[in-house]
Amino acid sequence: MEPGAPWRDPRQGYGAYGVGLAMQMQLQQRADAAAAGGGGVLKRSLGELERWQHQQQQHVAAQQALYLRAVRQRTAAAADIAALLGGGGVWGPTQQPLVLSGSSFGGGLASPSSTLSSLTTASRAAGPLMHPHPHQHQRQVQLMASSPQTQAFGLSRAPVPTQPAASSEQFILQELEKQLLDDDDDDEPLAAMSGTRSAVTNSEWEETIQQLNSITAAPSPGLHAPAAATPNNANNAGMTRSPSNSSSSTASSSASCSPPTPGAASRQLLSEAAAALADGNHEAAATHLAALKRAANQHGDAEQRLIAMMVPALSSRIVPTASSLAQQFDEFCGAEQRAGSLLLHDISPCFRLALHAASAAIVEAVGDHRAVHLVDFDVSFQQHKALIQYLADRRVPGTSLKVTAVTDPSLPFSKSLSATLPAIGEQLKLLAERAGIEYRFTVVSCRAAELDASRLCCAAGEALAVNLAFALSHVPDESVSPANPRDELLRRVRALGPQVLALVEQELNTNTAPLAARFTDACAHYGAILESLDATLGRDSAEKKARAEAALARKAANAVGREGADRLERCEVFGKWRARFGMAGFRPVALGAGIADQVAARAGPAPPGITAKADNGVLRLCWMGRAVTVASAWR
């Protein structure tokens, strides 16, 4: 080893600092000058020279102490990182713990060869054993490179290259070895000479180690045995992870995550209440719902109204009584619910534009036929009004429209539906006469199994169209009844041979999904509808909005609060409808590429936040990117 190397024995002086060398040169210069001018006799007395040498020795000793402290901090910090990456101790091929900590260097400064051999041995042994997940290693490297302590080592001077997963820990330890022997950071010892404290303090290193602990994965099964506590690894044992993280680690991890918003916390609590109900833990669910009642407000923002809608729906499952169930069932099938649903179709852009798209698809399918026959299973004034307008725009002389409204007496909605149909028929007749269209409106009551062309008064030469907008989701399927009325209705309709079948449904799975998943989807769906109503309706529509939201609340209560035959709100996502229609023998009829523009020209442009997306032959009406309703056509 060269005399001026940094690892020189402290008793021989540290040439890296230039102190011992400067003292020798000064003595030599004085001796030469004395010899030249005075025959070898020094100008100073022997006592002065001894005092001067004593002062220089004290100065050198102080510098050596500062140097040892700086080197000890750096080597101990590097060893702590190496020990952390090994999970408190690296197990070599012989299953012997290779302990790397600040205390492993003993009371003084260990030799460079032993330190480097320990690091190299750990890097070779730890490669295939530590942290099988490369993503966790990548997070550790990023945290180490960004911390001020690793910047003090110089590791942040260049980007950390991506290494294979098998040699990731070996790469880190090799980088530490390289930086420990790097002579480019001589500014740290110089700072120590000037009296400046080192930037790498014990408290800062402890904080960095705790941050790394908070993201480090648990040891693999082969590494679960910790190293035995010995005098050499006592400090390392104090840094071993425990089930309870330190307060600083918790604070750092919580600070890295943004605090949840009140709305997000409320929805999380709602989901936990639904999960508790699904598990049969009614006590926990009641506790959550009691806390949520304080945040509910029927006249507040969309989130507060959603909570006010969902809390009663879940509460009805905790202690259901026969009288309350009967009352809710009657309300859901009553006239007020029917009126509120029709109002929702009128004021909600997602419902109104989807019904317009279905009417446009019917008119496009019938072409220039003068006699049009529409069989409808859930007559909506909003949709039929748009249909009359689209037919009038064709300017086909002698256009006639015959509407047959079908009610199924076996379904609980038939009574309220039948009660509203005569008034709707009269209103539509007036609109058709103003548009120059001959109009007839007929109501037929029959079950799905009795449905045929004769009962519906189908005539030759008519362009037959069938409308199933928001109707099929109220017809039971095979999960409710072995007779499967839903598929039976589709088979009967296909036997009629219509030129087009229009389908509009909510993009929501409240049919066969389990309670927890059904509730989560319902929260997102109904929450989107409430937000869209806030964004599109003014204060002058407050009364209409309240009635429509009351109907929406009853839908939600039935979808998440009831099971079996009592659950009448059984929506499905479009993918399931497509599979069901395909098995029934229908094939899709792609809506025109300009269907969205056509609907916008007739119904007006979509309000901000509402988007109409033509996707694979169907039209999706979305609020802030989430599909609320889907319109499609079939043949």
Side-chain angles (χ1 to χ4, degrees):
M1 184 174 294
E2 297 180 3
W7 297 100
R8 185 176 178 179
D9 187 34
R11 294 170 295 181
Q12 300 178 9
Y14 286 82
Y17 290 99
V19 177
L21 181 60
M23 181 181 68
Q24 295 172 6
M25 290 178 64
Q26 292 175 8
L27 290 174
Q28 184 65 33
Q29 289 174 359
R30 293 178 183 273
D32 294 342
V41 180
L42 294 176
K43 299 298 182 180
R44 295 186 179 184
S45 64
L46 182 60
E48 291 177 351
L49 182 60
E50 290 177 352
R51 285 194 300 272
W52 181 82
Q53 290 179 346
H54 181 68
Q55 292 174 358
Q56 292 296 326
Q57 290 175 357
Q58 289 180 343
H59 185 61
V60 170
Q63 293 169 351
Q64 292 175 2
L66 290 174
Y67 176 81
L68 287 175
R69 183 178 62 183
V71 172
R72 186 178 297 111
Q73 287 176 346
R74 293 179 57 187
T75 52
D80 285 339
I81 293 180
L84 172 65
L85 293 175
V90 182
W91 291 82
T94 59
Q95 298 301 314
Q96 296 298 323
L98 305 176
V99 181
L100 300 174
S101 70
S103 61
S104 65
F105 295 98
L109 180 65
S111 64
S113 59
S114 62
T115 303
L116 294 180
S117 63
S118 298
L119 289 173
T120 305
T121 304
S123 65
R124 291 175 180 173
L129 293 176
M130 295 185 300
H131 307 303
H133 303 291
H135 298 292
Q136 297 170 352
H137 154 67
Q138 189 174 14
R139 292 177 60 192
Q140 294 171 354
V141 174
Q142 292 173 354
L143 178 57
M144 290 171 58
S146 62
S147 65
Q149 289 75 16
T150 33
Q151 290 176 4
F153 264 109
L155 290 177
S156 61
R157 294 176 181 171
V160 180
T162 303
Q163 296 293 324
S167 62
S168 57
E169 286 74 18
Q170 180 180 358
F171 167 73
I172 297 176
L173 295 176
Q174 289 175 351
E175 283 296 308
L176 290 173
E177 294 169 13
K178 184 193 303 181
Q179 296 300 329
L180 282 172
L181 296 180
D182 192 358
D183 292 333
D184 296 337
D185 55 355
D186 289 338
D187 53 338
E188 287 187 15
L190 292 177
M193 288 180 61
S194 62
T196 305
R197 293 182 57 86
S198 172
V200 185
T201 62
N202 292 335
S203 60
E204 290 174 340
W205 270 112
E206 183 180 2
E207 181 180 357
T208 301
I209 297 301
Q210 291 172 350
Q211 290 177 357
L212 288 172
N213 275 336
S214 65
I215 63 171
T216 303
S220 59
L223 302 176
H224 66 277
T230 64
N232 289 336
N233 68 357
N235 294 341
N236 191 37
M239 286 170 37
T240 303
R241 291 194 307 272
S242 62
S244 59
N245 294 331
S246 63
S247 59
S248 61
S249 174
T250 304
S252 63
S253 61
S254 61
S256 62
C257 302
S258 58
T261 61
S266 299
R267 292 214 184 181
Q268 178 64 26
L269 202 57
L270 279 172
S271 298
E272 291 177 1
L277 284 172
D279 295 338
N281 191 351
H282 289 185
E283 183 178 355
T287 302
H288 294 328
L289 294 175
L292 285 166
K293 285 182 180 180
R294 293 190 291 269
N297 185 358
Q298 294 182 350
H299 306 288
D301 58 19
E303 196 68 29
Q304 292 173 328
R305 301 200 310 275
L306 178 66
I307 297 173
M309 180 185 299
M310 290 300 181
V311 168
L314 292 177
S315 299
S316 64
R317 299 180 63 102
I318 297 179
V319 188
T321 61
S323 59
S324 62
L325 292 178
Q327 181 181 358
Q328 292 176 4
F329 191 86
D330 292 341
E331 290 178 352
F332 185 58
C333 301
E336 181 59 28
Q337 176 66 19
R338 171 70 180 171
S341 298
L342 294 177
L343 192 57
L344 179 65
H345 297 171
D346 186 23
I347 66 176
S348 171
C350 293
F351 288 81
R352 184 178 69 252
L353 297 178
L355 291 173
H356 270 263
S359 298
I362 291 173
V363 173
E364 183 177 354
V366 299
D368 294 335
H369 279 81
R370 290 186 298 177
V372 179
H373 184 189
L374 178 65
V375 177
D376 200 334
F377 291 84
D378 191 358
V379 176
S380 170
F381 178 81
Q382 180 64 231
Q383 182 182 7
H384 282 247
K385 176 182 176 181
L387 178 62
I388 292 172
Q389 293 171 344
Y390 284 122
L391 288 174
D393 290 343
R394 298 185 311 161
R395 301 189 181 279
V396 175
T399 299
S400 65
L401 176 61
K402 181 173 66 175
V403 176
T404 301
V406 180
T407 62
D408 188 343
S410 64
L411 297 179
F413 295 99
S414 60
K415 184 177 180 179
S416 60
L417 177 61
S418 301
T420 60
L421 289 177
I424 293 178
E426 292 295 327
Q427 293 175 341
L428 292 174
K429 185 176 181 179
L430 294 175
L431 289 176
E433 290 176 352
R434 293 173 187 171
I437 296 176
E438 182 183 351
Y439 188 84
R440 286 185 294 169
F441 188 88
T442 308
V443 178
V444 174
S445 177
C446 66
R447 300 174 183 270
E450 303 169 351
L451 198 66
D452 57 21
S454 60
R455 293 291 299 266
L456 300 176
C457 302
C458 296
E462 294 178 339
L464 181 63
V466 176
N467 183 50
L468 285 173
F470 303 116
L472 274 183
S473 56
H474 292 158
V475 179
D477 68 348
E478 65 278 2
S479 65
V480 180
S481 170
N484 196 354
R486 184 174 293 183
D487 285 351
E488 176 67 22
L489 177 60
L490 289 179
R491 286 191 295 268
R492 292 284 178 170
V493 168
R494 183 177 180 274
L496 297 175
Q499 290 187 257
V500 66
L501 184 154
L503 175 68
V504 180
E505 284 293 349
Q506 301 178 70
E507 187 70 354
L508 173 67
N509 187 7
T510 58
N511 185 24
T512 57
L515 174 61
R518 189 166 79 240
F519 180 80
T520 301
D521 197 17
C523 275
H525 179 80
Y526 295 124
I529 296 176
L530 293 176
E531 291 175 1
S532 66
L533 291 177
D534 284 349
T536 56
L537 296 180
R539 293 185 177 181
D540 54 343
S541 304
E543 184 178 353
K544 291 182 179 180
K545 180 180 174 183
R547 291 185 65 188
E549 290 187 0
L552 198 65
R554 285 188 283 267
K555 286 177 177 288
N558 185 264
V560 303
R562 302 275 73 82
E563 298 293 341
D566 290 339
R567 178 147 48 88
L568 306 178
E569 190 76 5
R570 292 184 170 270
C571 304
E572 291 185 323
V573 295
F574 178 73
K576 291 190 174 183
W577 290 122
R578 180 172 52 198
R580 189 179 294 275
F581 273 66
M583 290 186 293
F586 288 92
R587 58 184 178 87
V589 178
L591 301 181
I595 186 67
D597 297 334
Q598 185 179 358
V599 169
R602 171 59 62 184
I610 302 290
T611 54
K613 297 181 180 179
D615 180 23
N616 293 328
V618 303
L619 187 67
R620 300 178 185 270
L621 280 304
C622 308
W623 167 253
M624 294 300 181
R626 177 184 174 85
V628 177
T629 57
V630 180
S632 59
W634 305 84
R635 181 177 296 167

